[in-house]
Amino acid sequence: MTAPQQPEKPSEPSQEQPTMAGLAEGYAAKAGLHRTHDGRIDVLRSAGGVQGIAESILPGLVFLIAFTITRDLTPSLVAALASAAVFTVVRLVQRRPLTQALAGVVGVGISAWLANTTGKAEDFYLPGFFTNAAYILAMVVSIFVKWPIAGLLFGFIRNEGLDWRKDPARVKAYQLGTWIIIAVLMLRLVVQVPLYLLGEDGLAALATTRLIMGAPLYILGIWIAWLLTRPVPADDGTQPSKPSSSGA
């Protein structure tokens, strides 16, 4: 007589497979983009938050104020470097990642070295032009090879993964979104390069436009690109569409 067969127990997975939401969150964090609890882009956090925006703005502002008061390049550059270093110390105290602060110190250091080497105060802002141009080139290439940057970033935040590449309409939408970001970067060059070419006479205007067209303009460009690349809700025909009372 054989023993009664015991019912099989359901096998438990040895390791929980990562969900698309988890992948999206991880990728967005690495890319510097974040989303809210309801799945929308968190534009302020994506720009680095209040502290991150201050880290990007303050060194240039300190340099301008110091140079305007002293008309001496060396102490103005030292003041800018010191302000960037302060944020690194703050992050150490807060036990937060140092990547952004250290990148800021390196960037300010390169700008200070260049201005000190040439003896021209306006050259403090010159490296930013090359960085801007590099981003533009990379984004243009991404559009023409049909891997638009906006899709790589927004697609993961929206839990589309890379499935959007299978839909020509979504590819075109993300190409348009990438062009919007490119337009923001191009606008910076169009406005700021002529001011740079004015030399010291255009320094105050150049520094001011760098502040205005930095994080605030970046936030606006990202937000517009996000809105323009929203997926169109699928209409399965089960319910008649209702006219929108808001007209949005």
Side-chain angles (χ1 to χ4, degrees):
M1 184 174 181
T2 60
Q5 187 175 3
Q6 297 293 328
E8 294 183 1
K9 295 181 180 180
S11 60
E12 296 180 0
S14 59
Q15 184 177 5
E16 184 180 355
Q17 296 296 323
T19 63
M20 179 56 73
L23 291 175
E25 184 178 355
Y27 186 88
K30 290 180 181 179
L33 293 178
H34 302 271
R35 61 180 182 176
T36 60
H37 65 280
D38 57 356
R40 301 189 181 195
I41 189 171
D42 190 332
V43 183
L44 181 60
R45 284 190 65 199
S46 299
V50 175
Q51 182 173 332
I53 293 174
E55 289 173 359
S56 65
I57 289 177
L58 195 59
L61 180 61
V62 168
F63 171 75
L64 174 63
I65 294 174
F67 187 77
T68 301
I69 294 174
T70 65
R71 310 307 296 181
D72 192 336
L73 190 57
T74 299
S76 303
L77 295 174
V78 171
L81 279 169
S83 65
V86 165
F87 286 112
T88 302
V89 175
V90 170
R91 284 184 176 262
L92 281 172
V93 172
Q94 296 173 335
R95 296 185 179 180
R96 297 177 60 186
L98 297 176
T99 305
Q100 183 171 352
L102 289 176
V105 171
V106 172
V108 174
I110 293 174
S111 298
W113 171 82
L114 182 61
N116 187 62
T117 300
T118 62
K120 297 179 180 179
E122 63 271 19
D123 282 349
F124 180 80
Y125 300 99
L126 184 59
F129 296 148
F130 292 103
T131 302
N132 221 54
Y135 281 128
I136 291 173
L137 178 61
M139 290 187 183
V140 169
V141 170
S142 77
I143 289 173
F144 283 103
V145 299
K146 295 186 177 180
W147 282 87
I149 295 296
L152 295 175
L153 299 179
F154 296 160
F156 277 87
I157 295 180
R158 288 178 169 133
N159 285 341
E160 292 178 294
L162 294 176
D163 290 341
W164 56 268
R165 297 199 71 248
K166 303 174 184 177
D167 184 352
R170 296 299 295 141
V171 173
K172 289 182 179 179
Y174 282 130
Q175 286 176 323
L176 174 60
T178 305
W179 279 120
I180 295 296
I181 301 173
I182 290 173
V184 169
L185 301 179
M186 286 293 298
L187 183 61
R188 289 176 178 175
L189 295 180
V190 169
V191 173
Q192 294 172 16
V193 170
L195 295 175
Y196 166 80
L197 295 176
L198 291 176
E200 196 171 310
D201 292 338
L203 181 62
L206 173 60
T208 302
T209 54
R210 282 289 292 267
L211 296 177
I212 297 174
M213 304 181 77
L217 188 62
Y218 169 79
I219 290 173
L220 178 61
I222 289 292
W223 181 243
I224 293 175
W226 173 264
L227 294 178
L228 290 179
T229 57
R230 287 180 299 183
V232 178
D235 185 6
D236 56 8
T238 56
Q239 294 181 351
S241 59
K242 296 181 181 180
S244 172
S245 59
S246 62

